[in-house]
């Protein structure tokens, strides 16, 4: 039987050993959404997804989504979302949330949801990336399997380095995890507005070091991942490229969600778990 222990950022599983639910080592016992991790991280969910809701986010920010309902274009909605984020989290008035220009040392008031996404796009092992991975753990219950190396357990050096990066990224910042809650919820809103009948997107990812003996196989992804909608772009990041039908409910960010602000390489941020994939020939 093929091992399901994490290998690099992803784990390969043969079709003969298909698992419908997430392996226990990759799942937390609790989360903050409407489905347990073993379900939303499993293969069945990939093929038959249902809506994911982080607890009480849409209800708490109901006014925002009511206002968005009255705007016709994605660009108008994106501008309104940015303005709402600035207002709700006082992103342009840091002194109101306790930051002082007289403080010595590194000021953290510029750490916001945009900086987190930019940090991820620059380096998926960055401090900002650690904050996003930890957020996925908390909200969806999908454990981080790789950060600057394979995480073999809570006693491993890799896990301790991951926690250090997370704490450094979150320390003395302004509700970063709540900002990510609202970013994810807005992303899901926009996907439904722009593609109301779409449940999956065919996306591509380039990887190194994974076996490629079968054209079809199953992967256990890290809890957050970069994908592209362009095969050629994905091939830049690894020797082997696979395609996967990704549920739209697992997308945290997609290109042009916030026009002119985040210019990645047609990059999608995708929440992890197990996926059926198709390896593509070079």
């Amino acid at each position: 039987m093929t091992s399901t222990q994490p290998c690099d950022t992803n784990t390969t599983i043969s079709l003969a050993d298909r698992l419908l639910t997430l392996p226990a080592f990759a799942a937390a016992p609790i989360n903050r959404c409407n489905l347990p991790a073993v379900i939303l991280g499993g293969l069945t969910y990939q093929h038959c997804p249902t809506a994911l809701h982080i607890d009480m986010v849409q209800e708490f920010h109901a006014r925002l989504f009511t206002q968005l309902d009255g705007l016709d274009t994605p660009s108008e909605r994106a501008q309104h979302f940015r303005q709402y984020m600035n207002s709700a989290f006082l992103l342009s008035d840091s002194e109101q949330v306790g930051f002082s220009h007289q403080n010595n040392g590194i000021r953290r008031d510029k750490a916001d949801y945009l900086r987190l996404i930019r940090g991820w796009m620059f380096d998926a092992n960055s401090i900002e990336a650690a904050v996003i991975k930890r957020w996925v753990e908390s909200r969806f219950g999908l454990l981080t399997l790789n950060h600057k190396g394979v995480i073999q357990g809570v006693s491993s050096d890799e896990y301790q380095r991951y926690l250090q990066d997370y704490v450094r990224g979150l320390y003395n910042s302004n509700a970063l995890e709540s900002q990510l809650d609202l970013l994810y919820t807005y992303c899901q809103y926009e996907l439904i507005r722009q593609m109301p009948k779409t449940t999956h997107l065919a996306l591509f990812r380039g990887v190194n070091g994974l076996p490629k003996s079968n054209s079809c196989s199953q992967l256990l992804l890290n809890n957050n991942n970069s994908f592209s909608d362009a095969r050629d772009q994905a091939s830049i990041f690894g020797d082997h490229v696979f395609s996967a039908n990704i549920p739209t409910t697992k997308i945290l960010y997609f290109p042009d969600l916030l026009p002119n602000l985040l210019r990645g390489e047609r990059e999608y941020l995708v929440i992890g778990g197990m996926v059926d994939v198709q390896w593509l020939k070079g």
Side-chain angles (χ1 to χ4, degrees), residues 21-36:
T21 59
L22 191 69
F25 67 79
I30 58 174
N31 61 20
R32 291 184 54 187
C33 71
N34 58 313
L35 290 176

Side-chain angles (χ1 to χ4, degrees), residues 148-165:
K148 299 180 179 176
V150 177
I151 296 175
Q152 297 290 354
V154 296
S155 60
S156 66
D157 291 341
E158 290 80 8
Y159 183 76
Q160 297 305 314
R161 286 195 291 268
Y162 158 60
L163 284 188
Q164 289 171 5
D165 280 353

Side-chain angles (χ1 to χ4, degrees), residues 227-263:
F227 278 78
S228 176
D229 58 5
R231 174 178 174 175
D232 290 346
Q233 190 64 48
S235 66
I236 295 174
F237 299 99
D239 296 332
H240 306 303
V241 176
F242 65 82
S243 64
N245 289 322
I246 299 297
T248 56
T249 54
K250 283 195 168 186
I251 296 175
L252 168 61
Y253 171 82
F254 64 90
D256 301 323
L257 176 65
L258 301 172
N260 303 318
L261 284 180
L262 298 169
R263 294 185 177 276

Side-chain angles (χ1 to χ4, degrees), residues 14-29:
S14 71
L15 288 177
D17 301 322
R18 292 165 67 92
L19 301 173
L20 296 181
T21 59
L22 191 69
F25 67 79

Side-chain angles (χ1 to χ4, degrees), residues 99-116:
F99 293 102
S100 171
H101 291 281
Q102 305 304 318
N103 288 345
N104 294 323
I106 299 174
R107 296 180 66 233
R108 297 282 298 148
D109 52 308
K110 298 302 182 183
D112 60 13
Y113 68 106
L114 294 174
R115 180 160 293 190
L116 290 179

